Amino acid sequence: QLQLVESGGGLVQAGGSLRLSCVASGRTGRTFSDYRMGWFRQAPGKEREWVAGINWGGEYQYYAESVKGRFTISRDNTKNTVSVQMNSLRPADTAVYYCAANLGYGDIRDGSSYDSWGQGTQVTVSS
């Protein structure tokens, strides 16, 4: 199983920006580019929500409607890293953010398609 570690969370005012990163490691017999990657978030009292996804080579990015135009997902397969640049943050973006790795071909928006998860990083946006 891939180990994923997120970083970059914090407290920011509405309208501000944060960049989350996730580094993958582990002896899985596969390379990082074998995995599609996704970001999810979970706010207190709410279900986990898919935020963004990226394909193996990084050519295609996918976004939830709630973040489209504000968030940008990217990956660097040479550094085993996936990131999400979050701009124009809103209080509604407050949540624990998780990165996840998908080895298969399931729906990139569906958390059940993912094989490995990070521990999460808190993002708090104040009004």
Side-chain angles (χ1 to χ4, degrees):
Q1 192 175 20
L2 206 59
Q3 280 76 54
L4 303 172
V5 179
E6 303 96 336
S7 62
L11 173 64
V12 64
Q13 288 188 330
S17 299
L18 282 174
R19 183 177 180 85
L20 306 183
S21 294
C22 172
V23 179
S25 63
R27 295 183 178 182
T28 62
R30 297 187 177 273
T31 64
F32 183 63
S33 60
D34 288 333
Y35 297 85
R36 294 186 299 174
M37 299 299 295
W39 285 94
F40 292 77
R41 67 187 182 187
Q42 188 166 20
K46 295 188 176 181
E47 293 190 353
R48 185 179 61 198
E49 173 189 24
W50 171 73
V51 174
I54 191 166
N55 75 327
W56 303 271
E59 300 90 351
Y60 299 102
Q61 305 87 38
Y62 310 90
Y63 299 96
E65 284 298 323
S66 59
V67 306
K68 195 173 291 184
R70 300 187 298 122
F71 289 15
T72 303
I73 188 172
S74 61
R75 67 188 296 163
D76 185 342
N77 287 341
T78 67
K79 297 181 179 179
N80 292 356
T81 299
V82 61
S83 300
V84 59
Q85 176 67 40
M86 307 186 298
N87 298 329
S88 302
L89 284 163
R90 306 166 180 168
D93 295 317
T94 295
V96 177
Y97 283 71
Y98 301 89
C99 73
N102 177 329
L103 188 59
Y105 292 87
D107 187 345
I108 202 168
R109 301 164 296 179
D110 183 354
S112 65
S113 297
Y114 289 78
D115 311 284
S116 303
W117 293 82
Q119 84 288 346
T121 186
Q122 176 71 46
V123 171
T124 304
V125 184
S126 63
S127 57

